[in-house]
Amino acid sequence: MASPEEPRVSLPQLKLDELLEELQARIDAARGTQNRVHSLLEAVLAVGRELDLEQALHSIVDAAAALVDAEYAALGVIGPDGTRLSAFHTVGVTEEEISRIGPYPEGHGILGELIRHPEPLRLAKISEHPASYGFPPNHPTMNSFLGVPIRVRDQVFGNLYLTEKRGGAEFDEEDQSVLSTLAVAAGVAIDNARLYEDSRLRERWLRANAEITHGLMSGSERSEALNLIAERAREITGSALAAVAMPMEDGGSLTVEIAVGMDAEAHQGLVLPLHGTLMGLAYSAAAPVASEDVAHDAGISPEPPRFAGLGPAVAVPIGTGEGGVRGVVLLAREAGRPVFSEKETELVRGFAAQAAIAMELAERRADAEQVAVLQDRDRIARDLHDLAIQRLFATGMTLQSAGRFIEHPEASERVLRAVDDLDETIKIIRSTIFGLRAREGSLGSGLRARVVRVVGEAAVLLGFAPSVRMQGLVDTDVPREIADHVMAVLSEALTNIARHARADRAQVVLTADGDEVLLTVSDNGVGIPPDGRRSGLRNMAERAGQLGGRLDVSGPDGGGTLLEWRVPLPK
């Protein structure tokens, strides 16, 4: 036992304080880790609740910034080509700052590094990385950086970019681990949101198909069905323009029957060749044809100008190669918008195929009704011939025989007049029978087909193909006599352009609005000289005058000649 005089063995006070501080630090770290795990779980749950894709992406960016205490955060969505960013969602930058900076980044520099190498990237200073080449003017200062890819199944959907950890600190391994965990949860949330979005999109297409089918089977006009196809396709795909073209009788060209949306008037009524046009290529191939920039696509004819302000476009056939292509639907978005993805194109193609089936069913029903009408006409004609005419003929013969026994001159004359009336009645009935049994004219005999044929023949003389546009019920409202005059005037006008105009562009527009038929032929040539021969114009004017119309010839401000030939239509 130690004596009271011996000094006690005690730990220094400084060492004890250090141990207490270390213990407190570990407790704080454990509490901080626990709080961070709770925050991560809350973020995962919040992100997982979102079914709208855009809202899910914004929730992911907000959660990422909060979890690693970053001042700025962004989520870049990688485009279909896998090399650029197609969308960018940000946190920490105001709309005013974004407008001053300019367009969103496409994936160059450090942002592109994660696209090329989809692995976590952590930097103390962005400018020191070899891939960095600075920021655009008015961009906030950024030093520390943490980037993590987001994978949806086996595909990289996009990247999370975090910069400027608050307090001037650097992002550490724990930040990277937390962000990587969030990225995994984000991938699941994005996949769920995509699946939900796909299901809603398919539901919208199904509703549109049901609407079209119901309309067609209820006896709606084909033009109403085509307009509905264009409207629904434009709405569902977020397109600026939708147009539907149908093949002409000769099968060598298409006519745009319906156009809705941006600059629809420039497309309505256009007659398009099968080569050099997006719709013509889709019709010939019986498969979708897409363009990333239809306004500047070298494979698409720029004449007539009709794609200003438009960018991505896709033309999808209505029907299939096996069942026959019934037409083509064209969809175009504004310049700068995303291109049509394969999934979108396939959905449009399925929609168009179902619309084609509905059109075929409606046509079969109409054909059956037409057959019934024709059969009824044949029965009526047969009855008129076998019963009515024979009885009238017999009555006439009886009256004629009886007339020989009538001695009164006035009575005899009346009987003979009645016999003549019966003969005339028989002629009228026979004419009616002929009308009932008459069939439609041969293929390609309509005015629309004749115009396309003449313009195609004139292209050889001109050295270029004029653009053609037709509007209204050209084949129905224009009688044969007026149609013949239209063709003569058109041939004369195109011949004059080939001989005298020295033009490299011409346009033919034929319109029938129920009141008059208007033929417009314009070119960008040298115009009509004051002392030039005018016999051809005189002939055109005389034709218009014979039908109660007129001819107007002018020289537009841009040069060339504008010919307008119009005549009234019979009521």
Side-chain angles (χ1 to χ4, degrees):
M1 184 173 178
S3 62
E5 289 79 9
E6 291 181 4
R8 292 181 178 178
V9 179
S10 62
L11 293 173
Q13 186 65 35
L14 183 59
K15 187 67 172 178
L16 181 59
D17 291 343
E18 289 178 356
L19 288 173
L20 290 174
E21 288 176 2
E22 183 177 351
L23 179 60
Q24 184 64 44
R26 290 181 182 273
I27 293 172
D28 292 341
R31 186 179 293 114
T33 300
Q34 184 181 18
N35 292 337
R36 200 164 197 185
V37 169
H38 286 161
S39 299
L40 178 59
L41 289 174
E42 289 175 1
V44 168
L45 291 173
V47 167
R49 280 194 296 266
E50 295 291 349
L51 287 176
D52 181 80
L53 183 57
E54 290 296 312
Q55 288 297 325
L57 297 179
H58 284 295
S59 296
I60 292 167
V61 179
D62 287 334
L67 283 173
V68 299
D69 203 21
E71 187 173 351
Y72 304 106
L75 193 158
V77 180
I78 299 175
D81 60 0
T83 62
R84 292 181 299 175
L85 298 176
S86 61
F88 211 69
H89 304 268
T90 62
V91 167
V93 186
T94 64
E95 291 295 329
E96 184 180 349
E97 289 175 321
I98 292 172
S99 63
R100 287 202 305 266
I101 295 170
Y104 281 118
E106 295 185 355
H108 304 294
I110 295 297
L111 304 187
E113 186 71 15
L114 258 74
I115 297 176
R116 293 185 293 272
H117 307 288
E119 299 293 338
L121 177 63
R122 185 158 44 94
L123 302 172
K125 198 164 187 177
I126 297 175
S127 59
E128 294 178 353
H129 193 278
S132 174
Y133 59 82
F135 295 101
N138 302 315
H139 197 284
T141 302
M142 295 181 181
N143 291 304
S144 57
F145 175 86
L146 176 59
V148 174
I150 298 176
R151 298 178 186 273
V152 177
R153 300 183 183 178
D154 296 330
Q155 181 184 3
V156 178
F157 172 83
N159 297 306
L160 276 171
Y161 306 109
L162 287 301
T163 62
E164 289 299 286
K165 188 174 177 69
R166 297 184 187 278
E170 298 178 11
F171 295 106
D172 55 24
E173 290 185 7
E174 188 176 337
D175 293 326
Q176 181 176 319
S177 177
V178 168
L179 199 60
S180 297
T181 304
L182 177 66
V184 173
V188 175
I190 290 169
D191 194 26
N192 290 337
R194 274 180 160 181
L195 291 172
Y196 178 70
E197 191 176 73
D198 285 349
S199 66
R200 291 186 62 190
L201 191 60
R202 292 179 189 277
E203 182 183 355
R204 293 183 68 187
W205 283 120
L206 288 173
R207 281 203 304 267
N209 268 320
E211 188 177 2
I212 292 166
T213 302
H214 179 268
L216 284 169
M217 300 309 291
S218 300
S220 299
E221 294 292 332
R222 188 182 73 163
S223 59
E224 295 179 17
L226 296 181
N227 189 76
L228 197 57
I229 290 172
E231 285 285 4
R232 294 296 175 267
R234 185 173 72 92
E235 291 171 6
I236 296 174
T237 60
S239 300
L241 169 74
V244 178
M246 305 299 285
M248 299 192 65
E249 291 178 347
D250 59 1
S253 54
L254 303 171
T255 178
V256 179
E257 295 194 10
I258 298 294
V260 294
M262 183 174 172
D263 292 336
E265 299 81 7
H267 298 262
Q268 186 74 42
L270 275 179
V271 176
L272 304 173
L274 299 186
H275 60 277
T277 62
L278 204 64
M279 300 180 92
L281 293 172
Y283 180 82
S284 300
V289 178
S291 173
E292 292 187 3
D293 187 0
V294 70
H296 303 94
D297 195 324
I300 306 300
S301 171
E303 296 294 337
R306 58 196 185 279
F307 292 122
L310 295 174
V314 63
V316 178
I318 300 175
T320 61
E322 295 79 10
V325 178
R326 295 179 168 272
V328 180
V329 57
L330 170 74
L331 299 169
R333 290 172 174 156
E334 293 183 18
R337 292 286 311 282
V339 298
F340 289 88
S341 65
E342 290 185 11
K343 183 181 292 184
E344 286 180 306
T345 303
E346 282 304 311
L347 288 172
V348 176
R349 188 176 189 180
F351 167 71
Q354 290 297 319
I357 293 172
M359 292 170 67
E360 183 174 356
L361 289 173
E363 288 175 8
R364 294 287 176 86
R365 179 179 176 181
D367 288 344
E369 293 174 353
Q370 183 68 17
V371 168
V373 170
L374 293 176
Q375 288 175 344
D376 199 37
R377 286 183 177 182
D378 285 342
R379 181 188 58 77
I380 294 171
R382 187 169 56 252
D383 290 347
L384 285 173
H385 183 272
D386 296 343
L387 300 175
I389 288 182
Q390 297 301 327
R391 294 190 66 175
L392 287 172
F393 187 75
T395 302
M397 291 291 290
T398 301
L399 287 173
Q400 197 171 22
S401 299
R404 288 195 290 263
F405 300 102
I406 300 175
E407 295 180 356
H408 194 284
E410 186 176 346
S412 177
E413 182 183 351
R414 288 187 177 183
V415 169
L416 291 175
R417 193 159 56 242
V419 171
D420 291 339
D421 289 343
L422 286 173
D423 286 340
E424 190 64 30
T425 302
I426 290 172
K427 290 179 182 179
I428 293 172
I429 294 175
R430 281 176 172 164
S431 176
T432 302
I433 292 172
F434 178 78
L436 286 171
R437 289 176 170 171
R439 295 294 184 263
E440 294 183 357
S442 59
L443 183 67
S445 61
L447 178 56
R448 189 182 295 267
R450 293 171 68 188
V451 168
V452 173
R453 189 161 53 244
V454 167
V455 172
E457 293 169 355
V460 179
L461 296 174
L462 292 167
F464 60 90
S467 65
V468 184
R469 186 195 309 275
M470 284 180 268
Q471 294 178 293
L473 300 176
V474 174
D475 289 335
T476 306
D477 287 355
V478 184
R480 181 78 187 192
E481 180 189 358
I482 295 178
D484 291 340
H485 284 286
V486 170
M487 296 311 303
V489 172
L490 176 60
S491 298
E492 181 73 26
L494 293 174
T495 301
N496 288 343
I497 294 174
R499 289 178 177 174
H500 312 297
R502 298 201 295 274
D504 59 10
R505 188 168 69 248
Q507 185 179 43
V508 175
V509 180
L510 180 63
T511 305
D513 60 5
D515 296 324
E516 68 173 12
V517 58
L518 170 63
L519 173 66
T520 302
V521 183
S522 59
D523 65 73
N524 65 340
V526 297
I528 301 176
D531 56 347
R533 293 179 59 187
R534 295 179 177 265
S535 58
L537 295 177
R538 187 163 53 251
N539 292 337
M540 297 180 200
E542 289 176 357
R543 287 180 181 274
Q546 293 172 10
L547 300 170
R550 71 176 192 272
L551 171 71
D552 297 315
V553 181
S554 60
D557 295 337
T561 303
L562 174 64
L563 181 149
E564 295 178 310
W565 188 90
R566 66 182 76 224
V567 298
L569 292 171
K571 299 298 183 182

